[in-house]
Amino acid sequence: MNSDYKYIHLLYVPTMACNMACRYCYLEDNTKDEQTSYKALDTLKYAVSKFKESNVIPFNISLHGGEVTTLSKEDFHNLIAYISSYYDMNKDIITAGGFKVGRPHIKTNMYQLDKHIDTIKEFNVSISGSLDLPLSLHDEYRLTKGGGKTLDKILENIELLKDIPNKKKVSATIFKEHYQHLDQIIEDIIFLHKNTCLDMNDFNFMIGFDYNSNGLLHHMSEDEQVKFYQRMHQEFDGTDLDAGVNGAWFDEFGPEYCTNCDNCGEKFFLLEKNGDIYSCVRGQKNKDYYYGNIYQNSVEEILKTAREKIFINHNRKPFNEECAKCGYLYLCKTGCPFVKNTYQTNQSYTCKLQQQLYKDRGYKVDEYNEDNVYTYLKKMRVTKLDNYMPKPKGQEYPSLEEIINSDPKLKYIYDDSVFILNVDDVCYPLASQILKNKREIIYLTLKSKVMIYMKKSLLDAECDYPINNSLYIMLLSGNMVTYGDENRTKQQHIMTHQIYKGVLDNIPSDKEDYYAYDITNLIYEYKDHLSLDNPNNIFFTTSALRDYHYTKQKNNAYYHLQAINLPFQNMEFYYINKEMIK
């Protein structure tokens, strides 16, 4: 993959208007065209250009809604023509990143597909449409805004695609109300496969979640989801739809889809005509998944906000212990944060279905589960990492807490009462990064005032000559480097700074029994070396305690293994430096 570029999947919403009023629409009352001075094509062109200026390349641009077919013929044609030319002009960059160059693609309810059939033919537009199965329920839940039926016209529009070589598929969202008609669903799949131009091997099931159906529809239980999956296999394994039931039909629950990301905010973005950017269709119009506005925010700000908001939303509920044990965390990453928070749960709402699918498709239980769980948690979760520290197979050894408790000298290194960070008059007691039970990240700007307070008695700890002891500060960038014979990857060390006792004794402090030292200018001095993309890190200890830590590492292999990363009191931070992101 070309490391010079960041590749993203971009959904574009050229209009919020929709001609239908589906009972379970995720946009609810937002399906009306918004009053804005921006034109659909202008916003997309502006956004793509601005992304490219920051070396961010959309490897895929899909049109979503609202409903894209409500656009005028001219606007629809111009958008499709632009996307087609974008792929042609950027095919070398896209393929260099390891991605296949596609065709213009739309997600549509297909009700007004006939309006744009000429453009669809001209540019070989691929289509992903929506139906309700069984078809007998379609006109109950998928109506026009005037309450009219839609199925007959949609089936007529599907026939217009008969002689077009483009990729065309449909999907169906399954709620409990649909699940109660399994025999009809099976019959209708066969009917569509035999009597329309649709290849029903290329079809998707989606599992509905009922947060916005006004009580009309209800989600299936996890056991019902598995029974539904098994019934489809019972009916279609070994038939001419075998490829579908063992492939595309349930691919949304496999590792190929968006949830197979530690942080989906690093890859998936939805752009609206007014410039607003959200996570995806699920997070659209939700403030918790709003990343900024392409007209108002820099690309760097949008990307950073995306990572932060997805991180925050994954941590609204504590990590589920079962997810650390099942062996499939490397595939599911605990599921979609939007749905988890909708259901107030801390694991995927299709967990049992996913596990069954993984087993049936030959995905192995992770051989390195402990290591990968630890790596995932370190990046994505606010939790006590020491509880998940991988242990050598077949060998037991004392925990870090046991080692600390057996060595009184170590307690000073891990004491959570000796350092206090003050940022703009807000105090943050600091704890060791490898013992703390939550991950805290703060934000510093050019105007922030940053003070560190250290208990005066700490300079006497494990030090024969306190006058030669010092407050020891280490600043690390969020950028990663690989070093040494082990090829171990760690944060890039930027700066070490020491302030000796004689200096600290002569600086006034407003906290009794604490030294006070202003580190505002110290951080500012190294601002150009800090990461804009990842949290940076600052650690505090004393020079004597630092020396004792490394002595302990040398003398105790168990300690070395568990405290290989810097164990000192720390704080992670983003440094918002406008000078660097203009």
Side-chain angles (χ1 to χ4, degrees):
M1 180 173 287
N2 192 325
S3 60
D4 294 334
Y5 297 106
K6 176 180 177 63
Y7 294 88
I8 64 171
H9 186 290
L10 184 64
L11 285 174
Y12 181 49
V13 178
T15 178
M16 291 299 300
C18 186
N19 44 24
M20 288 174 58
C22 300
R23 302 296 192 187
Y24 48 87
C25 178
Y26 58 89
L27 286 172
E28 299 178 289
D29 296 329
N30 289 299
T31 55
K32 53 183 180 293
D33 202 19
E34 296 175 316
Q35 296 299 315
T36 175
S37 59
Y38 300 113
K39 295 183 178 180
L41 180 59
D42 291 345
T43 295
L44 180 58
K45 291 172 69 174
Y46 177 85
V48 168
S49 176
K50 190 168 180 176
F51 277 128
K52 287 188 69 178
E53 287 174 3
S54 296
N55 287 337
V56 176
I57 305 297
F59 66 86
N60 180 287
I61 301 175
S62 299
L63 297 184
H64 214 285
E67 170 54 43
V68 297
T69 61
T70 63
L71 291 168
S72 69
K73 289 184 177 181
E74 180 182 5
D75 285 346
F76 184 84
H77 182 277
N78 290 343
L79 278 168
I80 296 298
Y82 169 75
I83 295 170
S84 182
S85 66
Y86 171 83
Y87 285 142
D88 289 340
M89 293 173 59
N90 294 279
K91 60 184 178 181
D92 291 340
I93 295 176
I94 294 171
T95 55
F99 300 99
K100 181 180 178 181
V101 178
R103 301 296 306 166
H105 178 78
I106 63 171
K107 177 68 176 177
T108 172
N109 60 31
M110 301 188 292
Y111 188 68
Q112 285 185 280
L113 209 59
D114 54 325
K115 176 179 172 183
H116 302 291
I117 197 68
D118 291 338
T119 296
I120 290 169
K121 290 179 179 179
E122 179 182 355
F123 293 97
N124 193 17
V125 178
S126 69
I127 292 166
S128 179
S130 302
L131 288 170
D132 260 20
L133 293 179
L135 296 175
S136 60
L137 293 183
H138 182 97
D139 283 337
E140 184 172 343
Y141 299 122
R142 299 182 67 82
L143 304 171
T144 67
K145 286 193 171 177
K149 297 180 178 181
T150 62
L151 179 60
D152 288 344
K153 184 175 180 182
I154 288 173
L155 291 176
E156 290 173 5
N157 285 339
I158 289 175
E159 283 303 299
L160 297 176
L161 303 174
K162 184 175 181 179
D163 299 320
I164 301 175
N166 63 335
K167 185 179 176 68
K168 51 229 178 216
K169 64 184 294 185
V170 292
S171 61
T173 302
I174 306 298
F175 289 87
K176 186 185 290 285
E177 285 71 14
H178 304 93
Y179 169 76
Q180 292 168 351
H181 302 276
L182 288 180
D183 290 341
Q184 290 182 41
I185 290 175
I186 291 164
E187 291 174 6
D188 288 340
I189 290 174
I190 296 171
F191 168 81
L192 291 169
H193 188 59
K194 291 183 175 180
N195 297 284
T196 72
C197 63
L198 298 172
D199 177 2
M200 290 300 285
N201 278 297
D202 192 12
F203 165 77
N204 287 112
F205 281 121
M206 294 179 286
I207 304 299
F209 45 99
D210 52 5
Y211 75 102
N212 61 349
S213 65
N214 298 314
L216 294 174
L217 292 159
H218 303 84
H219 66 270
M220 289 190 287
S221 69
E222 288 199 56
D223 288 336
E224 288 171 334
Q225 294 170 20
V226 174
K227 289 178 181 178
F228 175 80
Y229 166 85
Q230 291 173 334
R231 178 68 189 280
M232 293 301 113
H233 276 280
Q234 178 185 331
E235 295 293 334
F236 293 106
D237 279 347
T239 71
D240 57 354
L241 289 171
D242 181 273
V245 75
N246 287 284
W249 289 14
F250 293 97
D251 272 353
E252 182 174 336
F253 314 104
E256 298 88 356
Y257 269 58
C258 56
T259 51
N260 185 236
C261 302
D262 287 343
N263 188 320
C264 60
E266 296 175 342
K267 190 173 182 179
F268 295 91
F269 299 84
L270 180 144
L271 169 70
E272 293 184 349
K273 183 175 71 173
N274 65 3
D276 286 343
I277 295 181
Y278 294 89
S279 59
C280 61
V281 295
R282 289 177 173 175
Q284 194 176 359
K285 296 300 183 185
N286 187 304
K287 63 180 179 59
D288 291 335
Y289 299 87
Y290 172 71
Y291 297 160
N293 185 286
I294 196 66
Y295 288 113
Q296 300 169 9
N297 301 101
S298 70
V299 170
E300 290 79 8
E301 288 173 324
I302 291 167
L303 297 181
K304 184 171 77 70
T305 300
R307 288 190 300 271
E308 291 169 3
K309 288 207 169 182
I310 294 301
F311 178 86
I312 290 169
N313 280 296
H314 269 297
N315 283 281
R316 292 189 186 279
K317 291 287 184 180
F319 179 67
N320 190 311
E321 289 297 318
E322 292 302 313
C323 296
K325 301 172 183 176
C326 82
Y328 290 120
L329 180 67
Y330 77 107
L331 297 175
C332 89
K333 308 300 174 70
T334 76
C336 171
F338 179 87
V339 186
K340 285 190 299 186
N341 291 327
T342 297
Y343 282 154
Q344 291 295 295
T345 184
N346 58 0
Q347 64 182 155
S348 173
Y349 77 122
T350 56
C351 179
K352 288 185 178 180
L353 172 58
Q354 289 173 248
Q355 291 192 32
Q356 186 65 54
L357 180 143
Y358 298 152
K359 293 173 185 175
D360 291 348
R361 296 193 176 184
Y363 291 106
K364 303 295 185 183
V365 171
D366 190 2
E367 180 182 357
Y368 304 100
N369 186 59
E370 283 190 1
D371 301 274
N372 288 328
V373 167
Y374 181 80
T375 300
Y376 166 78
L377 292 175
K378 187 174 181 180
K379 177 180 180 181
M380 284 301 298
R381 292 308 185 110
V382 176
T383 191
K384 189 174 182 180
L385 289 173
D386 192 58
N387 293 338
Y388 301 93
M389 181 73 70
K391 294 184 178 181
K393 302 295 185 291
Q395 180 179 353
E396 294 295 332
Y397 56 82
S399 69
L400 181 58
E401 286 94 337
E402 291 171 333
I403 295 172
I404 294 170
N405 291 336
S406 66
D407 183 348
K409 298 178 182 179
L410 283 179
K411 70 178 182 179
Y412 297 106
I413 294 174
Y414 297 92
D415 191 336
D416 59 8
S417 68
V418 292
F419 286 104
I420 299 172
L421 191 69
N422 183 296
V423 178
D424 298 326
D425 295 325
V426 178
C427 288
Y428 301 91
L430 302 184
S432 166
Q433 71 160 355
I434 61 176
L435 283 187
K436 62 177 64 173
N437 56 18
K438 66 177 182 178
R439 186 181 187 189
E440 189 168 30
I441 301 175
I442 61 174
Y443 301 90
L444 305 183
T445 71
L446 293 173
K447 297 181 179 180
S448 294
K449 181 177 181 180
V450 188
M451 299 283 297
I452 183 66
Y453 293 94
M454 178 182 70
K455 267 191 177 177
K456 294 181 177 179
S457 59
L458 197 62
L459 288 180
D460 296 322
E462 299 311 311
C463 181
D464 294 333
Y465 303 100
I467 193 64
N468 291 328
N469 203 358
S470 63
L471 166 61
Y472 199 96
I473 304 173
M474 291 159 280
L475 183 63
L476 281 66
S477 165
N479 299 322
M480 308 301 286
V481 294
T482 302
Y483 77 107
D485 291 341
E486 297 175 337
N487 286 323
R488 189 158 66 93
T489 299
K490 67 169 191 173
Q491 288 184 306
Q492 183 178 22
H493 199 121
I494 296 176
M495 171 276 291
T496 296
H497 191 79
Q498 293 175 257
I499 308 98
Y500 284 85
K501 184 177 186 301
V503 175
L504 293 171
D505 283 336
N506 288 291
I507 298 175
S509 175
D510 57 345
K511 287 187 181 295
E512 187 177 357
D513 298 327
Y514 281 85
Y515 289 118
Y517 190 76
D518 190 331
I519 58 174
T520 304
N521 292 333
L522 184 64
I523 296 174
Y524 181 82
E525 183 178 349
Y526 293 92
K527 62 182 174 61
D528 293 338
H529 303 281
L530 295 170
S531 173
L532 288 174
D533 298 322
N534 305 307
N536 303 284
N537 222 330
I538 189 164
F539 292 85
F540 303 92
T541 187
T542 70
S543 51
L545 290 174
R546 177 184 178 276
D547 291 344
Y548 187 76
H549 161 71
Y550 286 109
T551 299
K552 188 71 177 182
Q553 275 195 338
K554 181 179 178 181
N555 295 333
N556 189 313
Y558 297 143
Y559 178 76
H560 182 91
L561 180 65
Q562 296 180 80
I564 192 169
N565 294 316
L566 292 178
F568 311 115
Q569 293 87 337
N570 80 305
M571 177 60 74
E572 292 183 275
F573 67 94
Y574 283 103
Y575 196 64
I576 304 173
N577 185 348
K578 299 296 184 183
E579 293 179 358
M580 298 172 66
I581 60 177
K582 283 182 179 178

